Amino acid sequence: MSERKKITIRSLFEKLNAGEPISWLTCYDYPTAYLQEEAGVDMILVGDSLGMTMLGYDTTLPVTMEDMIRHTQAVRRGAPTAFLIGDMPYMSYQPSNETAIRNAGRFMAEAGCDAIKLEGGEEMAERIHAIVSAGILAAGHLGLTPQSVSALGGYRVQGRGAMQARKILTDAKALEEAGAFCILLEMVPDRVTKLITERAMNCIIMSLGSGLDAHGQLLIYHDMFGLYPKFKPRMAKVFGNAGELILKGLTQYVQEVEAKDFPQPQNWFTMKDEDYEELLRLIED
Ligand code: KIV
């Protein structure tokens, strides 16, 4: 297990003030959390993208609070020092401030989160304010917000035109003023990211496919390792093709079982001759 000290909101801002980029990854399970912790990842997001990457849905919309809590608890067990952010699933915060506070509180009390994230701009500032007023750190998410993928017309870059870009800037300001400690920009042009980062006063701006001029980067773990077969967005650099490696191993397993090449004596357990003979005597009666 890693020996590092717990990453806190304070240590994140120390990094930001020292001009050191912050690393952030999605994670949904214990063994991956263990590896991310060992690798020194600063922040972990248990994203509602788990609906697609782990549960096989076509969108994030069917994901429930129960799904999120179960996976987030597992991630916390594997990554005790990472700054852990729980992603609020569809309709866990949209209906009212009270619903939002209650569900944000569940991430903190039941899953050991350090903060929560929710999607949306100015219209969600009130929710951010309510959650922060309840003593919970809240992150915003602008640009391509997957819970609104239908309204946005698909998985596409947001803010390429000047008017749409200005709206993202206004949204970022509203979220920061409402108390968001962090804003994720997903699939936003790099120049817009730069403007938002330069204007942020007390807020960590993170990029997912939105360029280098943020305070740090987020990637979806399954995209990094070729583990999500359905599509490959442009920002998803493959750092190692684990999907290919696993498929090769699985195919070999099937072949070896069929050819009786697996298992070999070193892979099974034996019994002493005298015990076996006694057993035969016992079952003869
Ligand atoms: O659910 C998730 O993983 C996310 C990312 C797309 C940022 O919200």
Side-chain angles (χ1 to χ4, degrees):
M1 262 296 181
S2 82
E3 304 267 299
R4 79 169 169 182
K5 278 180 30 192
K6 176 84 186 79
I7 308 285
T8 62
I9 184 74
R10 205 187 163 107
S11 52
L12 289 174
F13 273 96
E14 276 167 13
K15 242 185 143 169
L16 179 150
N17 291 328
E20 294 170 22
I22 293 167
S23 57
W24 193 10
L25 284 178
T26 63
C27 183
Y28 320 100
D29 60 74
Y30 171 82
T32 310
Y34 176 85
L35 294 174
Q36 293 194 11
E37 173 94 8
E38 287 293 300
V41 172
D42 293 313
M43 306 207 294
I44 289 180
L45 174 70
V46 184
D48 65 350
S49 50
L50 68 80
M52 299 164 80
T53 56
M54 301 295 287
L55 304 178
Y57 298 129
D58 286 334
T59 70
T60 58
L61 304 190
V63 175
T64 64
M65 273 303 292
E66 305 316 316
D67 294 330
M68 293 304 301
I69 294 291
R70 171 63 62 91
H71 284 268
T72 309
Q73 287 169 334
V75 170
R76 178 47 100 202
R77 287 192 282 269
T81 71
F83 193 86
L84 183 62
I85 304 183
D87 201 14
M88 299 197 62
Y90 188 55
M91 288 302 145
S92 70
Y93 58 97
Q94 288 94 340
S96 68
N97 288 347
E98 195 188 310
T99 314
I101 294 171
R102 200 177 301 287
N103 286 318
R106 288 194 63 191
F107 275 106
M108 308 301 287
E110 296 175 39
C113 279
D114 296 294
I116 59 84
K117 171 176 91 56
L118 56 81
E119 298 181 8
E122 213 166 357
E123 70 287 356
M124 284 297 146
E126 194 194 333
R127 298 286 181 274
I128 294 270
H129 180 70
I131 292 169
V132 172
S133 302
I136 298 171
L137 291 168
H141 180 168
L142 298 173
L144 189 278
T145 44
Q147 290 175 15
S148 315
V149 68
S150 180
L152 296 175
Y155 292 94
R156 53 203 310 155
V157 184
Q158 301 295 310
R160 268 203 169 130
M163 294 299 283
Q164 211 194 19
R166 187 179 68 170
K167 165 86 171 94
I168 298 176
L169 271 125
T170 312
D171 284 340
K173 182 118 200 84
L175 294 184
E176 182 173 357
E177 282 174 3
F181 80 98
C182 172
I183 297 172
L184 170 67
L185 302 175
E186 178 172 351
M187 292 176 77
V188 166
D190 55 349
R191 288 173 155 175
V192 178
T193 300
K194 187 164 193 286
L195 288 171
I196 292 174
T197 308
E198 284 166 357
R199 282 164 170 70
M201 305 292 289
N202 194 28
C203 189
I204 302 170
I205 308 299
M206 298 294 289
S207 158
L208 172 56
S210 303
L212 252 185
D213 291 307
H215 298 122
Q217 299 294 324
L218 169 68
L219 263 187
I220 307 284
Y221 173 80
H222 281 57
D223 291 340
M224 285 179 77
F225 292 105
L227 292 169
Y228 187 68
K230 285 196 183 155
F231 59 80
K232 282 192 183 59
R234 179 189 166 99
M235 63 263 199
K237 176 175 169 183
V238 178
F239 282 75
N241 206 325
E244 231 171 70
L245 188 74
I246 292 169
L247 180 58
K248 203 167 147 225
L250 292 171
T251 310
Q252 184 180 338
Y253 170 74
V254 171
Q255 285 166 352
E256 288 192 15
V257 168
E258 286 176 357
K260 289 197 161 196
D261 282 340
F262 176 84
Q264 293 290 314
Q266 67 269 24
N267 307 122
W268 69 64
F269 302 91
T270 56
M271 190 180 200
K272 286 190 198 135
D273 289 348
E274 62 263 33
D275 290 330
Y276 181 60
E277 277 151 23
E278 190 184 341
L279 170 66
L280 289 182
R281 274 197 303 278
L282 286 172
I283 57 175
E284 264 166 20
D285 301 336

